[in-house]
């Protein structure tokens, strides 16, 4: 595939980058979007295209793909059971997305393991559309702009360095994620008895019959 991409004229390379970045932006895993970017780096060195053109095509594809992924997730949620819809759009979920949603959307453009869940979850949870527009564009600009520039300056060697660094950091990231999940479950379990007790007291108060005083008591 790399050899075939190297044989394409710059316009077709731009279109290929746009399509692959579009699919990658939707949240589809396993899309080799870096391959046409590598071929474009060689075309830039050969003077057949420019770095700004390559970045513009890639950003447009990644951004529009992320917007479509958001819309598809929001539309698919309406076809799921109501209990799932309530979980996806619960106040707790809305609070998490309101606090960390922007950072998550930006970072997910570069880290493939986060791209799919963040894109789909943003749409399913009802994350504000205008905020998603801005943060997804910023994330696409950073992702495509940084990688296209690095590939143009350093070539495929930068990919190997990134893969090695990612492999070293992955166990630590997984450990932090596990600790975060355990903390969340423990906190929820500690709050549950209190909430249940308050609910029981409220039920007892509502079910308690209103006692009318007898005539002797009134006298």
């Amino acid at each position: 595939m790399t050899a075939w991409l190297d044989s394409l004229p710059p316009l077709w390379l731009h279109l290929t980058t746009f399509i692959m970045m579009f699919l990658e932006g939707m949240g589809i895993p396993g899309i080799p979007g870096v391959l046409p970017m590598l071929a474009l780096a060689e075309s830039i060195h050969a003077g057949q295209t420019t770095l700004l053109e390559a970045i513009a095509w890639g950003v447009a594809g990644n951004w529009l793909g992320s917007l479509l992924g958001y819309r598809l997730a929001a539309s698919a949620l309406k076809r799921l059971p109501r209990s799932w819809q309530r979980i996806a759009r619960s106040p707790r979920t809305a609070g998490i997305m309101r606090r960390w949603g922007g950072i998550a959307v930006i970072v997910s453009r570069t880290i493939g393991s986060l791209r799919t869940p963040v894109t789909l979850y943003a749409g399913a949870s009802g994350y504000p559309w205008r905020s998603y527009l801005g943060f997804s564009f910023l994330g696409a600009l950073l992702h495509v702009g940084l990688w296209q520039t690095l590939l143009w300056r350093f070539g495929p060697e930068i990919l190997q360095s990134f893969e090695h660094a990612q492999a070293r950091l992955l166990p630590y990231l997984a450990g932090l994620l596990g600790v975060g999940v355990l903390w969340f479950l423990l906190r929820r379990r500690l709050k549950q008895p209190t909430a249940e007790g308050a609910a029981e007291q409220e039920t007892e108060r509502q079910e308690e019959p209103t006692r009318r005083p007898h005539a002797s008591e009134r006298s």
Side-chain angles (χ1 to χ4, degrees):
M1 186 173 183
T2 306
W4 173 71
L5 289 171
D6 289 337
S7 66
L8 292 177
L11 177 59
W12 287 101
L13 271 178
H14 288 311
L15 290 174
T16 305
T17 302
F18 177 88
I19 293 172
M20 288 192 175
M21 283 294 156
F22 183 88
L23 298 175
E24 180 184 282
M26 285 179 60
I28 300 176
I31 302 297
V34 71
L35 294 183
M37 296 172 72
L38 276 170
L40 277 171
E42 296 182 5
S43 297
I44 295 170
H45 283 295
Q48 298 174 345
T49 186
T50 64
L51 178 63
L52 291 179
E53 285 181 296
I55 292 176
W57 281 89
V59 169
N62 192 276
W63 185 46
L64 294 176
S66 68
L67 300 184
L68 180 60
Y70 176 101
R71 287 300 189 186
L72 289 176
S75 176
L77 181 68
K78 299 177 181 178
R79 297 174 174 81
L80 295 177
R82 292 188 178 275
S83 58
W84 292 21
Q85 296 183 32
R86 286 194 296 268
I87 293 174
R89 296 186 175 178
S90 64
R92 182 186 297 273
T93 301
I96 294 174
M97 290 300 296
R98 194 165 48 245
R99 179 179 297 180
W100 304 105
I103 297 176
V105 171
I106 293 173
V107 173
S108 67
R109 294 296 94 197
T110 299
I111 301 179
S113 57
L114 297 177
R115 188 179 303 118
T116 301
V118 170
T119 301
L120 300 180
Y121 196 65
S125 63
Y127 186 71
W129 172 245
R130 291 184 178 181
S131 299
Y132 188 82
L133 277 174
F135 286 125
S136 60
F137 177 78
L138 182 58
L141 182 62
L142 292 175
H143 170 55
V144 178
L146 178 64
W147 275 110
Q148 188 66 74
T149 303
L150 290 175
L151 291 172
W152 167 61
R153 293 286 294 176
F154 302 105
E157 292 78 11
I158 193 66
L159 287 176
Q160 298 176 358
S161 301
F162 178 76
E163 289 175 355
H164 289 316
Q166 192 176 28
R168 292 178 180 178
L169 290 176
L170 188 59
Y172 299 100
L173 294 176
L176 288 175
L177 180 61
V179 171
V181 171
L182 290 175
W183 175 82
F184 173 77
L185 294 176
L186 180 61
R187 184 180 178 185
R188 186 176 181 181
R189 187 177 183 85
L190 290 175
K191 287 185 175 181
Q192 189 173 3
T194 304
E196 290 178 352
E200 290 178 358
Q201 291 178 3
E202 181 66 19
T203 303
E204 292 176 358
R205 186 182 66 82
Q206 293 177 357
E207 292 179 352
E208 183 178 356
T210 56
R211 186 174 62 87
R212 294 183 178 180
H214 295 288
S216 60
E217 293 178 349
R218 288 198 299 267
S219 61

